[in-house]
Amino acid sequence: MSRIWITGASSGIGLELASQLLEQGHLVAVSARTVEPLLRLKQEYPNQVLVVAGDLAAPQEVNRIGLQISACWGALDQVILNAGTCEYLEASHFEAAMIERVMRANLFSAAYCVEAALPLLRNAPKGHLVAVCSSVTYLPLPRAEAYGASKAAMRYLFDSLRIDLAEEGIDVTLVSPGFVDTPLTRKNDFPMPMRWPVEKAASHILKQLARRPLEVAFPAPFIAAMRLLALLPKRLQLKLGKHLSRPTTDNQS
Ligand SMILES: NC(=O)c1ccc[n+]([C@@H]2O[C@H](COP(=O)([O-])OP(=O)(O)OC[C@H]3O[C@@H](n4cnc5c(N)ncnc54)[C@H](OP(=O)(O)O)[C@@H]3O)[C@@H](O)[C@H]2O)c1
């Protein structure tokens, strides 16, 4: 039985990961701003769930959550930093504040969580730090300036952290999903090839995490295609990107 902290556990991949881990009998601390789904998990698994709700983009709230987990368990065997958001940019209305918002929600929140989690991972026999990144980082995609930049920065942060934590015996794994059917992707208005149901994605992630790999990337054919496209000359990538981008219509503001 492991002590696990999952962020973004109110919906989508995080909620499904939490449900499956609870079903397996683990102790799970669940974070998100929306409390109701977390309380439902607590109701279903009263002895296994620790509700640690809050806005992870606010460092003082993350600090409070870290103290709460520390007071209850004193250590964490695994941390799954999954909370995140996606906003698509319209170049015709370039908004720097949006880049800042997405960076705060994805990159900075992850950094605040790492700061809170590291002392707890160090208290476990062999801590495991997991960050949910994205396959978007393999290739520049249209309108993904903010989301892609935040996830690319996360990739570097955790790839680099892996090196520095290795001596302490803390493993770092990146999770790079293709498309998964969640409330986040249900908002998308473009084709999402090879989209996986969330149950399948969560059970695949958990199965792979047991081996503590450097990265869990799926679905395999989608990832292979992204990696191949990433090898194309930049001019060809630009052609492909232009083909994928859709024209801005009058009612988009
Ligand atoms: N679905 C995909 O196809 C896909 C693909 C690649 C990567 N990902 C990544 O997978 C992760 C989960 O995505 P999802 O598809 O499951 O999306 P989702 O259903 O929208 O879930 C996002 C979760 O993050 C939480 N969250 C967002 N901002 C937060 C904040 N400031 N403080 C605390 N919690 C916050 C949300 O909770 P509250 O709103 O209640 O706070 C929610 O629980 C994200 O990092 C996403 O980038 C998803």
Side-chain angles (χ1 to χ4, degrees):
M1 182 180 61
S2 297
R3 298 151 293 185
I4 301 165
W5 177 24
I6 302 187
T7 69
S10 65
S11 142
I13 297 171
L15 175 58
E16 188 57 34
L17 286 172
S19 303
Q20 293 190 16
L21 285 167
L22 288 163
E23 194 55 41
Q24 292 170 15
H26 298 289
L27 296 179
V28 184
V30 285
S31 290
R33 290 162 301 183
T34 317
V35 185
E36 292 75 20
L38 311 181
L39 293 176
R40 277 198 291 277
L41 288 174
K42 175 83 183 162
Q43 219 167 21
E44 209 175 331
Y45 301 92
N47 301 322
Q48 288 168 254
V49 172
L50 179 62
V51 174
V52 281
D55 182 355
L56 302 174
Q60 66 283 5
E61 292 203 27
V62 180
N63 183 47
R64 173 190 45 79
I65 288 171
L67 293 174
Q68 240 178 302
I69 299 173
S70 175
C72 290
W73 297 341
L76 279 168
D77 301 290
Q78 189 175 59
V79 175
I80 304 180
L81 300 178
N82 157 82
T85 190
C86 179
E87 290 186 55
Y88 290 112
L89 189 135
E90 295 297 342
S92 56
H93 300 88
F94 190 95
E95 193 202 342
M98 192 255 256
I99 308 260
E100 198 176 324
R101 235 178 6 251
V102 174
M103 281 290 186
R104 182 162 298 285
N106 293 347
L107 175 69
F108 297 161
S109 72
Y112 304 146
C113 290
V114 169
E115 186 177 289
L118 272 183
L120 296 166
L121 287 168
R122 289 188 174 113
N123 285 346
K126 195 158 177 14
H128 189 190
L129 178 59
V130 180
V132 179
C133 197
S134 171
S135 56
V136 73
T137 57
Y138 299 136
L139 195 67
L141 293 172
R143 297 170 64 223
E145 290 85 347
Y147 182 68
S150 72
K151 294 294 185 178
M154 279 181 75
R155 176 177 290 281
Y156 201 100
L157 170 70
F158 287 95
D159 275 342
S160 183
L161 201 51
R162 178 186 297 121
I163 302 167
D164 288 314
L165 293 177
E167 277 215 349
E168 295 187 59
I170 297 175
D171 293 321
V172 177
T173 298
L174 276 174
V175 177
S176 305
F179 291 111
V180 181
D181 184 14
T182 69
L184 191 76
T185 49
R186 265 171 239 148
K187 290 185 282 192
N188 290 347
D189 59 356
F190 51 81
M192 290 176 274
M194 300 180 224
R195 182 161 49 157
W196 273 16
V198 72
E199 298 80 8
K200 179 176 173 179
S203 82
H204 178 76
I205 292 170
L206 294 181
K207 211 164 152 192
Q208 298 297 313
L209 285 184
R211 296 187 295 109
R212 301 166 83 104
L214 304 187
E215 183 163 357
V216 178
F218 64 91
F222 182 80
I223 299 298
M226 292 289 274
R227 285 189 167 140
L228 271 179
L229 293 172
L231 297 175
L232 290 176
K234 288 282 175 206
R235 287 263 166 225
L236 275 178
Q237 286 184 12
L238 174 61
K239 250 189 171 168
L240 174 77
K242 279 161 78 177
H243 179 72
L244 291 174
S245 68
R246 55 181 173 73
T248 307
T249 55
D250 284 340
N251 58 6
Q252 285 169 349
S253 57

